[in-house]
DNA sequence: TGGCAA
DNA sequence: GCCAG
């Protein structure tokens, strides 16, 4: 058990925001599986200090929770109007999470035409069937090899529907090194995205999520149906969009309007809508 | 634009 | 959401 002191970090907002799917809260404690290990974390609401029970060390969580991000500097960049000002002040301490690339890739392929409870269920079934047992009911996320070598029927039990075949193909692409995930860190936002979109089942939105959440490309601005509604409501179809605001147009607008940290802007808008709906 | 699977 | 049509 050890502590991590934090500033501008809210554990509840960050783990609840819908970016990650393997954490659950029980009382004051969040329990999750990350990096092949179990972690239990709580936060002192007065001091912001984290209490951590895990074999993973302080440095791991510093990276994972992006405590290296200078939040005030990021706010200064993205605080372009009243809407964003309200969101960042209300949910201050919400941070992006730096996810493991492979797990992030599969998680967001599963997110296609799905919802958070179902994605969580899919991932926990996948882990229970193909991962390593860490504790009772807690399993590591399966490796690419584990998913690539399994037969389709077994995977079908995880209720992923049409996503199953895509997951197997992606696992194979990783195993055969058709795609080398670590190399995407070297590429810029657009090239990393293009590379991911060569996989079946990864389009614009999913690729944006993966480069933003796993590859440190904070220009990622994923536009799902929620963000589409938010932007239409707050910023209108005109004059920004010269006609109907399509998802593609909204994405380009968001990157331009909020600048190089627009991924954070998206996260705050998204979380606000999740908690409050459209106001 | 509708089918995907549930 | 992605993709084939």
């Amino acid at each position: 058990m050890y502590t991590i002191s934090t500033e501008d970090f809210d554990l509840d907002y960050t783990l609840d925001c819908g970016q990650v799917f393997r954490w659950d809260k029980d009382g004051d404690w969040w329990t999750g599986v990350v990096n092949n290990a179990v972690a239990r974390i709580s936060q002192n609401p007065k001091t912001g200090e984290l209490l951590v029970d895990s074999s993973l060390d302080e440095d791991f969580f510093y990276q994972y929770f992006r405590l290296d991000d200078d939040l005030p500097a990021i706010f200064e960049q993205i605080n372009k109007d009243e809407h964003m000002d309200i969101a960042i002040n209300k949910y201050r301490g919400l941070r992006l999470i730096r996810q493991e690339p492979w797990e992030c890739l599969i998680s967001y392929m599963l997110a296609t035409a799905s919802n958070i409870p179902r994605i969580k269920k899919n991932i926990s079934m996948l882990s229970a069937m193909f991962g390593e047992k860490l504790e009772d009911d807690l399993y590591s996320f399966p490796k690419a090899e584990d998913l690539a070598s399994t037969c389709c029927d077994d995977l079908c039990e995880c209720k992923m529907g049409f996503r199953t075949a895509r997951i197997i193909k992606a696992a194979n692409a990783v195993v055969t090194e058709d795609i080398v995930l670590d190399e995407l860190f070297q590429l810029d936002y657009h090239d990393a995205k293009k590379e991911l979109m060569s996989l079946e089942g990864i389009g614009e939105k999913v690729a944006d999520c993966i480069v933003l959440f796993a590859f440190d490309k904070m220009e990622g601005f994923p536009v799902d149906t929620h963000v589409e509604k938010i932007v239409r409501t707050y910023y209108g179809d005109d004059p920004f969009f010269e006609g109907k605001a399509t998802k593609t147009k909204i994405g380009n607008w968001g990157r331009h309007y909020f600048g190089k940290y627009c991924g954070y802007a998206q996260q705050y808008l998204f979380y606000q809508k999740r908690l409050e709906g459209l106001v």
Side-chain angles (χ1 to χ4, degrees), chain A residues 149-190:
Chain A
S149 60
T150 161
C151 82
C152 192
D153 285 350
D154 289 346
L155 265 175
C156 283
E157 289 178 37
C158 297
K159 308 291 180 199
M160 303 182 296
F162 59 87
R163 301 164 198 84
T164 308
R166 300 170 173 181
I167 300 293
I168 295 177
K169 283 183 186 168
N172 274 296
V174 167
V175 169
T176 61
E177 298 189 347
D178 249 4
I179 185 165
V180 181
L181 294 181
D182 280 343
E183 287 178 357
L184 303 190
F185 283 107
Q186 268 50 274
L187 303 180
D188 69 15
Y189 166 68
H190 289 285

Side-chain angles (χ1 to χ4, degrees), chain A residues 9-20:
Chain A
F9 178 67
D10 189 302
L11 184 68
D12 285 344
Y13 292 163
T14 301
L15 288 179
D16 181 52
C17 74
Q19 188 195 323
V20 287

Side-chain angles (χ1 to χ4, degrees), chain A residues 111-175:
Chain A
T112 295
S114 190
N115 53 64
I116 292 169
R118 183 172 169 200
I119 301 164
K120 286 181 91 167
K121 212 169 288 173
N122 288 151
I123 294 176
S124 87
M125 292 173 98
L126 262 185
S127 302
M129 282 184 76
F130 305 105
E132 224 178 289
K133 182 165 182 159
L134 304 171
E135 283 181 26
D136 286 347
D137 293 330
L138 293 172
Y139 297 82
S140 66
F141 192 84
K143 304 268 159 280
E145 303 84 69
D146 300 327
L147 297 187
S149 60
T150 161
C151 82
C152 192
D153 285 350
D154 289 346
L155 265 175
C156 283
E157 289 178 37
C158 297
K159 308 291 180 199
M160 303 182 296
F162 59 87
R163 301 164 198 84
T164 308
R166 300 170 173 181
I167 300 293
I168 295 177
K169 283 183 186 168
N172 274 296
V174 167
V175 169

Side-chain angles (χ1 to χ4, degrees), chain A residues 34-72:
Chain A
V34 258
N35 214 289
N36 303 314
V38 175
R40 292 189 171 78
I41 309 182
S42 72
Q43 182 171 38
N44 182 323
K46 294 263 187 297
T47 64
E49 195 173 61
L50 301 178
L51 192 53
V52 182
D53 180 9
S54 175
S55 59
L56 300 165
D57 64 12
E58 170 168 358
D59 190 55
F60 173 84
F61 288 108
Y62 198 82
Q63 297 293 318
Y64 183 73
F65 290 128
R66 300 198 70 107
L67 298 176
D68 51 327
D69 284 338
D70 182 351
L71 230 46

